[in-house]
Amino acid sequence: MLCDVYRSSKKVDTYLYLPHGNEFTDVPDVLLGQFGRAEKVLTINLAGREQLARLTVEKLQQHLHNDGFYLQLPPKREELQC
């Protein structure tokens, strides 16, 4: 399975994963409005992979199958304590 990854023009470190060739039809308009211009950064072949940076390929495929997309938000920053 091929997956396209798009970077948000409005939100730092925010990415949208879509099945390859999908035209954003399954992504809610509200989300697209907050996401801003989607800049394609790469296409990933998920075959033979088990893990991506922040989730398993199995979880990503579940999101793509059930929702039609996956939104990756930046990790929460832990506050430094002195």
Side-chain angles (χ1 to χ4, degrees), residues 23-34:
E23 296 295 323
F24 299 92
T25 54
D26 293 325
V27 182
D29 290 337
V30 172
L31 174 57
L32 286 176
Q34 293 175 352

Side-chain angles (χ1 to χ4, degrees), residues 30-48:
V30 172
L31 174 57
L32 286 176
Q34 293 175 352
F35 194 78
R37 183 179 49 80
E39 176 186 342
K40 186 173 179 181
V41 290
L42 66 115
T43 299
I44 302 171
N45 185 350
L46 300 177

Side-chain angles (χ1 to χ4, degrees), residues 4-11 14-18 22-25 27-29 31-42 69-71:
D4 294 329
V5 182
Y6 296 86
R7 176 184 6 230
S8 170
S9 65
K10 290 186 176 181
K11 306 280 186 180
T14 302
Y15 297 90
L16 190 60
Y17 292 70
L18 298 171
N22 185 293
E23 296 295 323
F24 299 92
T25 54
V27 182
D29 290 337
L31 174 57
L32 286 176
Q34 293 175 352
F35 194 78
R37 183 179 49 80
E39 176 186 342
K40 186 173 179 181
V41 290
L42 66 115
F69 68 95
Y70 173 73
L71 179 65

Side-chain angles (χ1 to χ4, degrees), residues 34-71:
Q34 293 175 352
F35 194 78
R37 183 179 49 80
E39 176 186 342
K40 186 173 179 181
V41 290
L42 66 115
T43 299
I44 302 171
N45 185 350
L46 300 177
R49 290 180 177 248
E50 292 183 16
Q51 183 72 36
L52 297 173
R54 296 193 186 146
L55 79 159
T56 65
V57 169
E58 180 181 351
K59 287 279 188 188
L60 176 58
Q61 288 175 326
Q62 287 174 0
H63 282 286
L64 296 177
H65 178 72
N66 295 333
D67 305 322
F69 68 95
Y70 173 73
L71 179 65

